Amino acid sequence: MSDAVVREILTGTGDTWAVVGLSNNSARAAYGVARVLQRFGKRVVPVHPKAETVHGEQGYATLAEVPFPVDVVDVFVRSDLAGEVADQAVAVGAKAVWFQLGVIDEAAYERTRAAGVAMVMDRCPAIEIPRLAG
């Protein structure tokens, strides 16, 4: 996974990010990362079983329920659940999948890449974006 792929997803893939696992729990990492993504001009779409509105954006219970195209699916779920989310991201036509720090599923990575979808694993966009800007 190269820095070039990270750069392309952050700067060239599109600005609509579905954040799977995002709720109004401000103690969770997804909450803070979503705020950073918004600060850098990304539209953050919460995807969580609670379907809460977070940071002013309507939430949806599943990726399939999001009624508009999603560019990047940012995954904040346990590694054992992440592969299914990656498969759903491919199914809804996302251009990229991003597994957060500590989220690792090599088989899902291979499936996603084989489907022609860019992917980053075990990295955090809130760490990577400022590095690109600086």
Side-chain angles (χ1 to χ4, degrees):
M1 197 166 355
S2 71
D3 285 342
V5 173
V6 169
R7 180 180 305 277
E8 177 57 29
I9 291 172
L10 289 172
T11 63
T13 300
D15 290 334
T16 301
W17 285 54
V19 181
V20 178
L22 176 59
S23 71
N24 274 312
N25 182 345
S26 61
R28 304 290 300 194
Y31 189 88
V33 169
R35 178 63 84 204
V36 171
L37 289 169
Q38 283 185 322
R39 250 197 328 266
F40 283 90
K42 308 297 183 192
R43 179 182 183 188
V44 171
V45 181
V47 177
H48 188 281
K50 292 180 181 176
E52 297 175 315
T53 297
V54 184
H55 299 315
E57 287 285 347
Q58 168 66 50
Y60 299 90
T62 66
L63 279 173
E65 293 176 28
V66 178
F68 46 82
V70 169
D71 299 309
V72 181
V73 175
D74 190 5
V75 182
F76 278 93
V77 300
R78 296 188 327 255
S79 295
D80 61 326
L81 302 175
E84 183 180 332
V85 176
D87 295 341
Q88 292 168 7
V90 170
V92 301
K95 299 174 192 165
V97 175
W98 190 299
F99 280 9
Q100 280 298 137
L101 284 173
V103 179
I104 300 169
D105 183 333
E106 296 290 345
Y109 180 82
E110 295 303 324
R111 283 196 311 274
T112 303
R113 298 292 300 126
V117 176
M119 184 161 176
V120 170
M121 186 165 58
D122 195 25
R123 304 274 285 267
C124 180
I127 294 169
E128 303 297 337
I129 288 178
R131 290 191 351 196
L132 291 179

